Amino acid sequence: MARCARRLGPRAQAYTTAATADDIDAVRGLLGVPQLTLYGLSYGTYLMPVYASRHPERVRSIVLSGAYPLAFDPLGRPGAQAVSLALHRVCERAKAAPAAVPGGPRPACDGERAVRDLATTASRLRARPLEVDVPLEGAGAPRRLRFTEGKLANLAYEAASRGVGADPTGPPGLLGELPHALDRFVDGDTGPLLRLVREEYASASGEDQAPYVAVVCNDYRKAWSADAPLPERWRQYRGALADARPGAFGAFSARGYLEGPTDGGDVCIGWPRENTARPQPTHPRMPDVPVLVLSGDLDANTPDAGGRLAARQFPDGRFLSVPNTGHVPELEPSGCVTGVSTRFIRTGRTGDTGCLRALPPVAVTPVRR
């Protein structure tokens, strides 16, 4: 990241959310549109509040999905805790197929056990990472990957949140397979978990992340002062980790978990003070317009806790937790969530949201005991 900033030179300070928001408003002005309804997904839930704070008179209403607040936790602790919560929820809601078991269907997995298995797996990888050969599309020979606690964290909070609920009648996705894979790993069988690792990394996008991470390093809250020299930044960052309460990172260690995020932890710690924009204000004045915030209740990337805070940024913010969905709940196929959003955009009200309660649980690979 430090090399990236040096190559950008003075241009580095141009990669900001505020600049993008002002570009949006310039397009709005050229089109002659008096007001906009803002619809933000994922990072868009950071961008749209910035637009709203800079151009409040141009905003009619806002929908944010997969949301996090401007004043988010720079150590990402709500996401770490949400991994455990998601494992509990998928196990509580899923039933294995009926078998020759008195009483009919039995739970596919036990949430408490799944979280314990996650903690044990994280501890073992912290002590001894594994080497995994990952076939990459178009890359010829497989790439050797060092699978660490941090990569387990990324798998469990980011990758496992992606697309949850998008195919409820299909086979288990990554989140649904995790309890079984963790159980087998703890029992000495690494095969199921490493298969998930290979599948995830083999399908990874080659998209250039540099423009996004440049925005992150300019705008986002940090666990250190952007004005401090590098040694002092490291001291402040390590102090923030040391001050975190026990269990704040769920089943993970603080250092292990913070190795995982693409846009968090210490990724920006070497971003230079020179040619850097000032961090985005975290509590700007917001317009008093209707705002709907949606979070998937199985999303550890932008969990319910962040969605609630995102709604509270606005005088007229309302929050909906969407069961059995992950990051960006509009991906569920029934049309329930998009129907709620569409009604809100047209009327400023959510109307009847009863269909959310009917969204089916995700498929889970049974843990055999």
Side-chain angles (χ1 to χ4, degrees):
M1 290 308 302
R3 288 196 303 272
C4 174
R6 285 196 295 270
R7 284 198 297 269
L8 286 169
R11 293 175 297 164
Q13 60 192 313
Y15 290 86
T16 66
T17 304
T20 303
D22 291 349
D23 286 347
I24 291 173
D25 197 63
V27 174
R28 179 209 56 75
L30 287 170
L31 294 174
V33 178
Q35 284 191 313
L36 302 176
T37 290
L38 307 177
Y39 203 133
L41 309 175
S42 194
Y43 166 71
T45 70
Y46 187 92
L47 167 61
M48 295 311 176
V50 172
Y51 178 93
S53 70
R54 295 176 71 82
H55 306 280
E57 72 286 357
R58 301 303 183 185
V59 180
R60 176 178 176 269
S61 62
I62 306 173
V63 177
L64 305 176
S65 180
Y68 58 107
L70 298 178
F72 61 86
D73 177 12
L75 297 182
R77 286 165 284 197
Q81 295 160 17
V83 172
S84 298
L85 184 58
L87 289 174
H88 274 287
R89 285 175 172 167
V90 296
C91 288
E92 288 168 2
R93 297 168 185 175
K95 298 287 184 181
V101 178
R106 63 186 178 190
C109 55
D110 177 85
E112 291 286 349
R113 181 183 293 276
V115 173
R116 288 199 304 270
D117 288 345
L118 177 63
T120 300
T121 302
S123 176
R124 291 183 184 176
L125 290 172
R126 189 159 60 246
R128 183 175 296 179
L130 297 179
E131 300 291 328
V132 188
D133 289 330
V134 178
L136 298 178
E137 186 176 343
R143 174 188 172 190
R144 177 148 290 190
L145 175 75
R146 191 167 182 262
F147 187 57
T148 62
E149 181 187 11
K151 287 187 172 60
L152 173 68
N154 185 274
L155 194 76
Y157 101 90
E158 186 170 4
S161 294
R162 192 183 310 128
V164 175
D167 186 13
T169 62
L174 176 52
L175 179 60
E177 291 205 63
L178 262 183
H180 170 261
L182 295 168
D183 173 81
R184 293 292 79 224
F185 188 93
V186 169
D187 222 32
D189 177 8
T190 63
L193 182 59
L194 296 190
R195 176 180 61 80
L196 296 180
V197 174
R198 291 189 185 96
E199 289 175 355
E200 172 58 27
Y201 280 90
S203 63
S205 167
E207 180 184 357
D208 182 6
Q209 294 294 311
Y212 172 59
V213 183
V215 169
V216 166
C217 291
N218 276 327
D219 285 358
Y220 277 17
R221 295 183 76 199
K222 312 295 191 301
W224 60 87
S225 169
D227 293 322
L230 185 58
E232 177 61 14
R233 291 183 184 189
W234 277 115
R235 191 193 68 76
Q236 292 172 0
Y237 178 61
R238 290 170 181 145
L241 297 188
D243 289 343
R245 64 171 177 79
F249 293 88
F252 301 96
S253 70
R255 290 181 186 275
Y257 180 78
L258 287 168
E259 180 196 322
T262 306
D263 55 6
D266 62 5
V267 68
C268 293
I269 206 162
W271 194 261
R273 289 179 290 176
E274 300 79 16
N275 302 320
T276 298
R278 303 309 304 162
Q280 166 62 37
T282 54
H283 294 91
R285 186 177 181 85
M286 295 294 187
D288 189 359
V289 298
V291 178
L292 174 63
V293 178
L294 301 160
S295 294
D297 81 345
L298 299 179
D299 183 8
N301 190 354
T302 53
D304 277 0
R308 289 189 179 91
L309 292 175
R312 290 176 195 157
Q313 296 175 127
F314 299 92
D316 189 17
R318 61 210 75 179
F319 172 75
L320 286 178
S321 177
V322 182
N324 301 316
T325 59
H327 194 51
V328 186
E330 284 88 342
L331 295 176
E332 65 83 17
S334 76
C336 169
V337 176
T338 53
V340 170
S341 298
T342 300
R343 188 162 54 244
F344 184 83
I345 289 169
R346 288 175 174 165
T347 70
R349 296 183 295 275
T350 59
D352 182 10
T353 60
C355 63
L356 298 179
R357 294 189 292 274
L359 296 178
V362 301
V364 175
T365 301
V367 177
R368 303 297 185 191
R369 283 286 173 181

